[in-house]
Amino acid sequence: MEMFRRFEVQRPEPTGELEHVNVFTLLVAVVLSAQATDAGVNKATRALFQIADTPQKMLALGEEKVGEYIRTIGLWRNKAKNVILLSEALIRDHGGEVPGDRDALTKLPGVGRKTANVVLNMFFRQPTMAVDTHIFRIANRILLAPGKNVDEVEEALLKVVPEQYLLHAHHWLILHGRYVCKARKPECERCVIADICKAPEKTNDIPAPLVRWEETGLLPAK
């Protein structure tokens, strides 16, 4: 698919923006990121992960202390509770290790399908599709994989994204939605897929093609 070919040229090795030091801290960071920005989570967890980078250390820290570190994050009380319960479950059921299995991950406190998919993709290098608000919006806006809910969009994306691009597809879409195809005002003039985008409306109704290819470093496929 030409869209993902261009994303790959633009960002050959896209990475998530949540800071972490190992798979456990990645899992915790993703849990904390629900209804919060990555920047806000990073600001709160830098100090936390310096002293609690394993389930055992996090459990020893305790719910109250964890709460003090993440107080600036939305829903911090419930999230602090889940982080402790999560740590307990990892120690009790998995020997303190984060499992590389979706079913096992989603049984952990505070871990939903999206969180599990992020961890499986970023650490275990599995070609999963973690549908967040950015991906849900873009999939519907540009008619890539329309769906009424995140499950429908995830299923549709897994069908339409070519296998060779699946490993990085969710990161490409998230970054595109965060920095270019924004919710309130998409910056179509900066978009590397503007001329092939199927969105019914574009910024200021500027007709495609919009991209100055010499500025993006990309060339349209012939």
Side-chain angles (χ1 to χ4, degrees), residues 8-214:
E8 183 178 47
V9 173
Q10 185 183 39
R11 294 187 178 95
E13 289 290 332
T15 58
E17 297 183 330
L18 285 173
E19 297 174 5
H20 57 283
V21 296
N22 54 31
V23 64
F24 171 69
T25 54
L26 171 62
L27 177 59
V28 171
V30 180
V31 168
L32 296 178
S33 71
Q35 299 182 48
T37 65
D38 287 0
V41 172
N42 291 339
K43 185 176 180 180
T45 57
R46 285 177 191 134
L48 174 63
F49 292 160
Q50 285 182 3
I51 62 171
D53 59 355
T54 67
Q56 293 83 356
K57 292 177 182 177
M58 194 69 75
L59 185 59
L61 198 58
E63 182 179 333
E64 183 176 349
K65 195 68 175 178
V66 170
E68 292 178 8
Y69 279 95
I70 66 170
R71 195 178 295 266
T72 56
I73 301 176
L75 306 175
W76 65 270
R77 288 186 177 87
N78 189 56
K79 289 178 179 179
K81 179 179 180 180
N82 278 335
V83 167
I84 293 302
L85 292 174
L86 169 67
S87 300
E88 289 178 339
L90 287 173
I91 295 169
R92 180 185 65 246
D93 302 330
H94 302 284
E97 300 294 326
V98 175
D101 175 79
R102 183 185 289 113
D103 289 340
L105 283 169
T106 54
K107 289 177 182 177
L108 297 170
V111 178
R113 185 178 179 88
K114 189 200 80 172
T115 296
N117 281 340
V118 172
V119 173
L120 291 173
N121 181 271
M122 289 183 63
F123 186 82
F124 294 100
R125 306 286 289 180
Q126 295 184 22
T128 59
M129 184 62 66
V131 179
D132 70 348
T133 55
H134 294 299
I135 293 182
F136 183 79
R137 179 181 72 252
I138 290 176
N140 281 283
R141 173 185 279 169
I142 69 175
L143 307 181
L144 174 63
K148 296 178 181 179
N149 53 57
V150 293
D151 290 337
E152 287 186 6
V153 169
E154 178 184 344
E155 183 178 357
L157 284 171
L158 290 173
K159 291 179 180 178
V160 301
V161 177
E163 185 176 356
Q164 71 191 89
Y165 298 122
L166 268 178
L167 180 62
H168 294 314
H170 102 267
H171 275 128
W172 285 323
L173 291 171
I174 287 172
L175 294 171
H176 188 64
R178 184 173 292 163
Y179 296 113
V180 180
C181 198
K182 300 175 182 178
R184 294 187 178 181
K185 188 178 180 181
E187 299 181 9
C188 298
E189 70 279 2
R190 297 180 52 237
C191 179
V192 298
I193 62 167
D195 59 316
I196 57 174
C197 173
K198 296 180 180 179
E201 297 180 4
K202 296 184 174 68
T203 302
N204 298 327
D205 294 325
I206 302 173
L210 307 171
V211 178
R212 292 182 289 274
W213 294 101
E214 68 275 10

